[in-house]
Amino acid sequence: MLQQFTWQNYITLIALLLIVYYGYILLRWYRTEIRATIKSNKSQSPLFPSSFNSPEQPDVIGIAKPVQGAAIHGEELLFAPSEEAENYGANPIPVKEDNELVSAFSDMVAEIKTLIRVIADSNDSRENFEMLFQLEVQKFGLLAGTPYQEKVNHFLIKESAGKFPFGLHISELDNYWQTIQA
């Protein structure tokens, strides 16, 4: 009996059954959307109710407003050294060395804060401060002779002002750094 049917007849029958099945599903579950699509000439999608776009409902977030005076032109942004600097022999600090210096600087500043707190709390003498600061300078000797040395010195003078029983001067701090460079 199955030998009477050809593949063409089988595919036609399956296609008709699928059309009937999906037609029933569409009419059963999407009847209102289909009617709305047929009745309206708008380009609005029938799957979204018109209440989403109605002007009667207030917009929850509001309209995006541009920030006044915050425009940055592309010429003002610099991301890498220019090719001219590379061609004329400008030697920027390698990233690895710069990262090491920044890391050492932040570690030293943290230890300087502790040093300031210890000297201020114990009302200790200048000699003890000098000894402890020389230990810090030896520990972070790679900062000697860099701009970070000056930043550490200024930070120490600024933070210790009024907390130490003695005064600090840039020349004294530079002398401690020079002992490490020699």
Side-chain angles (χ1 to χ4, degrees):
M1 178 169 162
L2 292 178
Q3 295 171 352
Q4 296 173 336
F5 297 108
T6 63
W7 281 105
Q8 184 179 6
N9 292 343
Y10 175 75
I11 292 174
T12 305
L13 178 67
I14 295 297
L16 286 173
L17 288 174
L18 286 174
I19 290 172
V20 169
Y21 173 76
Y22 283 110
Y24 172 76
I25 296 294
L26 285 173
L27 290 175
R28 172 83 171 122
W29 298 105
Y30 298 101
R31 184 179 324 140
T32 57
E33 288 86 358
I34 292 172
R35 283 184 190 163
T37 303
I38 293 172
K39 288 182 182 179
S40 71
N41 292 332
K42 297 179 185 177
S43 63
Q44 188 178 33
S45 173
L47 297 178
F48 297 108
S50 62
S51 63
F52 283 129
N53 298 325
S54 69
E56 298 92 29
Q57 293 183 347
D59 194 8
V60 177
I61 296 176
I63 299 172
K65 296 181 182 177
V67 177
Q68 298 294 329
I72 297 176
H73 300 288
E75 300 86 35
E76 296 174 2
L77 300 175
L78 297 175
F79 294 106
S82 66
E83 293 178 3
E84 296 172 3
E86 293 176 16
N87 292 337
Y88 294 113
N91 292 330
I93 297 174
V95 174
K96 181 180 178 189
E97 289 182 22
D98 192 41
N99 287 342
E100 289 176 22
L101 290 175
V102 170
S103 175
F105 171 71
S106 65
D107 291 343
M108 185 168 188
V109 167
E111 291 193 20
I112 292 293
K113 287 178 182 178
T114 305
L115 175 67
I116 292 170
R117 191 177 62 239
V118 167
I119 297 294
D121 290 346
S122 65
N123 213 11
D124 222 343
S125 66
R126 177 183 287 276
E127 290 79 22
N128 286 339
F129 166 76
E130 290 173 354
M131 180 188 65
L132 292 172
F133 186 67
Q134 284 178 348
L135 289 173
E136 293 297 325
V137 168
Q138 288 175 357
K139 184 176 180 181
F140 298 101
L142 71 132
L143 295 177
T146 65
Y148 295 111
Q149 172 186 337
E150 185 178 331
K151 291 180 181 184
V152 167
N153 290 346
H154 286 291
F155 176 77
L156 181 58
I157 289 174
K158 179 184 168 191
E159 293 297 315
S160 67
K163 296 179 181 176
F164 286 180
F166 51 88
L168 292 177
H169 300 287
I170 293 281
S171 59
E172 295 172 345
L173 298 176
D174 284 337
N175 288 337
Y176 300 134
W177 287 97
Q178 288 175 358
T179 59
I180 208 66
Q181 290 176 342

